[in-house]
Amino acid sequence: MSTTFDACPAVLRHFRLQWEEAQGAWVLLYPEGMVKLNQSAGEIMRRCDGAHSVSNIVAQLECAFRANELTNDVLAFLDMARKKHWIEG
């Protein structure tokens, strides 16, 4: 299933997204370990709160980073995150 613009992705319950100062990065914590996210992934994941649509997340990122045409990159990341069972929605 691919991501749609009106979907409101959210981090799955068994993960906890947090900024990890020691890592200098956003991380996904889960009972068996941790996934260290790169800057782009962290910025996308921290907006996956179940309240923001994909189109809104893209708009926020384009505004925050003064960038254009991030849609394909965000969609690709969200599809990968869904396949890894990090997010739903």
Side-chain angles (χ1 to χ4, degrees):
M1 177 176 153
S2 63
T3 303
T4 62
F5 290 110
D6 59 345
C8 294
V11 176
L12 284 169
R13 281 182 248 126
H14 62 276
F15 287 102
R16 186 174 77 223
L17 179 69
Q18 72 180 39
W19 175 258
E20 190 65 44
E21 193 63 43
Q23 298 289 327
W26 286 96
V27 298
L28 277 176
L29 299 174
Y30 59 103
E32 297 84 25
M34 174 183 75
V35 177
K36 181 180 176 183
L37 302 170
N38 67 27
Q39 181 183 6
S40 299
E43 290 297 330
I44 295 168
M45 288 294 290
R46 71 188 196 98
R47 289 167 170 83
C48 291
D49 59 5
H52 294 92
S53 68
V54 172
S55 60
N56 185 260
I57 291 170
V58 170
Q60 287 180 22
L61 292 167
E62 288 179 344
C63 181
F65 296 99
R66 296 183 181 151
N68 293 312
E69 301 179 16
L70 295 179
T71 300
N72 289 338
D73 293 333
V74 172
L75 290 174
F77 175 79
L78 292 173
D79 284 341
M80 182 275 307
R82 186 171 289 102
K83 287 176 185 165
K84 290 185 177 262
H85 305 287
W86 295 349
I87 62 169
E88 63 184 351

